[in-house]
Amino acid sequence: MTAREYDLIVIGAGAVGENVADRAVQGGLSTVIVEAELVGGECSYWACMPSKALLRSAASLRAARDLDGAKQAVTGRLDVGGVLRRRDAITHDWNDDSQVSWVEGAGIDLVRGHARFTGPKEVVVEAADGTMTPLTATHAVAVCTGSAALLPDIPGLRDIEPWTSRDATSAHDIPRSLAIIGGGVVACEMATAYAGFGTEVTMVVRGAGLLDAMEPFASDLVRSSLEGLGVDLRFGVETSEARRDDGGAELVLSDGSIVSAEQVLVAVGRVPHTLDLGVETIGLEAGRWLDVDDTMLVTGTDWLYAVGDVNHRVLLTHQGKYQARAAGDVIAARALGRRVDDRPWGVHVATADHDAVPQVTFTDPEVASVGLTEAAARKAGRRIRVLDYDLSWVAGASAYADHYTGQARAIVDEDRGVLIGATFVGPEVAELLHSATIAIVGEVPIERLWHAVPPYPTVSEVWLRFLEAYGRPTT
């Protein structure tokens, strides 16, 4: 069978793959995108969008109940069926017609099926009916296959058929009780969501706290919130064994205790989607993350790119899309002999992956962070100053809620006089984050930030409090 030829083959039509393909087409390349499941990928159907839909309604209800005048109008309970209907609408009932229309409108060809490498720049796509479509790239192939939930090697765990994040975000039957293995972002968000539904939630956390890559006060405030929602938190223990009977599942913990629940969610990490990709035909090891440089070019190659989760740089959709824009542009530039700008912060590199990554954990309160934590900055040898402020002291917080609880921290590089990290914990603080991201990426001098005036009364006045704590220049 004659192979169809394109300048670029993109494997994976999630948000990352779509952006690589779109930028390459805009740059003048013929491009095909291959997808084994739904066009739009994990974020649209099983991760970012449905998870936030599951969280939003209960968070809004709690916010209303913390505001005199509004709380008197809240007379009913959360309508879980309504939450699920809204989630289904946001995922388009797991139908990708609108995404397919966008792909076609962008001038990108689509081939459905599972892609496998058969050699350098050569891919064969197997459709659901067994039909094989060979593809050849004249310039590049971009792997944008993402990652999947890790199932640890715990005796009996696979036998009980636990949920992964996909099951938790797409469920239509809400369990009476849920045991969550893990204490990271997915675990905390799903604990918040299901506790809001009225599910009895237990979290089994190996470490001493939650969200261990973030500032310690984020862990403390999220822990307090989850406990307030009735979540049973078990710290410093591991799951030794899992088993299921007619009454549900049981987890035997390392301290000898047993957790019983109708359903179990495993949220302990991710693995790359490279196991059944045929990468061994091009000299790579199946099941491994793909190492790349800042232009997303896979180490040791001049034609293979890996973008998004699969390169293990930053496992966040927005950061993957950022990488994708750089990768699509640089693939087109190299293919057409244009100048490549691969200097730090150049148009063809993902420099922000290193020290300027924004992330929001949509617990209640939200955790919004960008750049380095205090611990990471000190480990990197930076000479820093830490600025802390209680968000409840800002006038905007008093206007927002009757019992506002929050905390903020800024990390300043003393040698350069610029912000290199910020963390906000509190209601709706996600919308504070981009201003901090701009300050870090733009390396805005602290003395210039005095002229960025926050409106009153908003929570953004925390920026003024940071500056006052740091001290105003005298010359």
Side-chain angles (χ1 to χ4, degrees):
M1 187 182 299
T2 303
R4 293 161 56 178
E5 189 172 273
Y6 293 88
D7 294 327
L8 170 65
I9 299 169
V10 178
I11 304 175
V16 173
E18 287 177 331
N19 274 270
V20 172
D22 186 41
R23 297 300 300 183
V25 167
Q26 291 185 46
L29 302 188
S30 62
T31 302
V32 62
I33 196 165
V34 182
E35 178 54 52
E37 296 185 292
L38 296 176
V39 175
E42 197 80 8
C43 182
S44 297
Y45 304 104
W46 297 286
C48 315
M49 296 306 293
S51 66
K52 304 315 168 276
L54 294 179
L55 286 156
R56 180 61 182 166
S57 297
S60 298
L61 188 59
R62 288 190 291 269
R65 286 174 172 161
D66 192 35
L67 199 62
D68 198 9
K71 65 183 179 183
Q72 290 83 354
V74 180
T75 57
R77 301 175 61 184
L78 183 74
D79 183 348
V80 177
V83 175
L84 298 182
R85 287 193 299 273
R86 184 169 183 267
R87 184 273 316 272
D88 293 350
I90 285 176
T91 61
H92 299 280
D93 290 309
W94 291 272
N95 180 294
D96 65 358
D97 286 351
S98 62
Q99 297 267 21
V100 171
S101 295
W102 178 87
V103 168
E104 294 171 346
I108 304 164
D109 283 359
L110 170 65
V111 177
R112 288 189 181 273
H114 184 85
R116 293 182 181 86
F117 284 99
T118 55
K121 300 183 185 178
E122 295 178 351
V123 170
V124 65
V125 182
E126 182 179 1
D129 63 1
T131 302
M132 299 291 189
T133 303
L135 304 171
T136 297
T138 55
H139 292 291
V141 177
V143 177
C144 308
T145 49
S147 63
L150 167 66
L151 283 182
D153 189 18
I154 296 171
L157 185 62
R158 292 180 183 273
D159 295 335
I160 70 169
E161 298 181 341
W163 276 1
T164 66
S165 55
R166 276 195 167 202
D167 302 293
T169 58
S170 62
H172 282 88
D173 295 315
I174 303 303
R176 293 183 303 275
S177 55
L178 176 66
I180 301 176
I181 303 175
V185 172
V186 172
C188 290
E189 287 189 349
M190 290 300 96
T192 302
Y194 277 82
F197 296 154
T199 297
E200 181 182 310
V201 178
T202 302
M203 295 181 70
V204 179
V205 185
R206 180 173 61 182
L210 305 169
L211 305 171
D212 58 7
M214 300 180 187
E215 297 286 8
F217 65 82
S219 173
D220 294 341
L221 288 170
V222 171
R223 174 178 181 169
S224 178
S225 170
L226 289 172
E227 290 174 339
L229 292 174
V231 176
D232 181 6
L233 290 155
R234 311 283 186 93
F235 290 105
V237 290
E238 298 186 52
T239 303
S240 302
E241 181 186 352
R243 57 198 182 213
R244 185 179 289 280
D245 56 28
D246 293 338
E250 287 186 342
L251 300 179
V252 180
L253 306 186
S254 55
D255 63 1
S257 62
I258 294 176
V259 173
S260 298
E262 183 179 331
Q263 188 55 262
V264 174
L265 166 62
V266 179
V268 295
R270 308 288 292 179
V271 293
H273 270 309
T274 59
L275 188 61
D276 190 22
L277 198 58
V279 294
E280 59 276 8
T281 67
I282 54 175
L284 300 174
E285 186 177 344
R288 299 293 296 272
W289 304 99
L290 301 179
D291 293 327
V292 298
D293 65 14
D294 275 2
T295 68
M296 305 301 114
L297 187 66
V298 173
T299 304
T301 77
D302 62 2
W303 60 273
L304 182 64
Y305 293 77
V307 193
D309 279 15
V310 74
N311 64 34
H312 207 228
R313 284 165 67 100
V314 186
L315 277 64
L316 296 167
T317 297
H318 51 269
Q319 211 69 18
K321 291 166 68 174
Y322 160 72
Q323 295 174 9
R325 293 188 289 271
D329 287 347
V330 79
I331 289 168
R334 285 170 172 157
L336 300 176
R338 299 171 183 156
R339 185 178 72 87
V340 172
D341 183 3
D342 57 2
R343 300 167 298 172
W345 305 111
V347 70
H348 295 133
V349 293
T351 307
D353 282 353
H354 301 296
D355 292 327
V357 175
Q359 179 174 5
V360 179
T361 303
F362 288 88
T363 44
D364 189 4
E366 292 175 349
V367 180
S369 61
V370 60
L372 301 179
T373 61
E374 178 185 1
R378 295 194 189 283
K379 184 177 180 180
R382 306 288 184 92
R383 190 172 70 89
I384 63 171
R385 185 169 173 189
V386 179
L387 310 173
D388 287 320
Y389 198 79
D390 187 328
L391 281 176
S392 69
W393 298 345
V394 180
S398 301
Y400 180 88
D402 292 341
H403 303 92
Y404 193 105
T405 299
Q407 184 71 31
R409 171 172 289 178
I411 310 295
V412 178
D413 185 322
E414 290 281 71
D415 292 324
R416 294 187 295 135
V418 297
L419 191 73
I420 58 172
T423 298
F424 307 95
V425 182
E428 306 285 351
V429 293
E431 300 304 331
L432 286 177
L433 189 60
H434 197 53
S435 54
T437 304
I438 291 171
I440 291 172
V441 171
E443 299 180 332
V444 181
I446 295 294
E447 61 185 32
R448 177 60 64 86
L449 287 177
W450 279 96
H451 299 281
V453 183
Y456 179 89
T458 68
V459 181
S460 292
E461 274 203 305
V462 68
W463 284 100
L464 183 55
R465 304 288 91 85
F466 282 153
L467 292 168
E468 290 170 343
Y470 189 74
R472 186 159 189 167
T474 57
T475 57

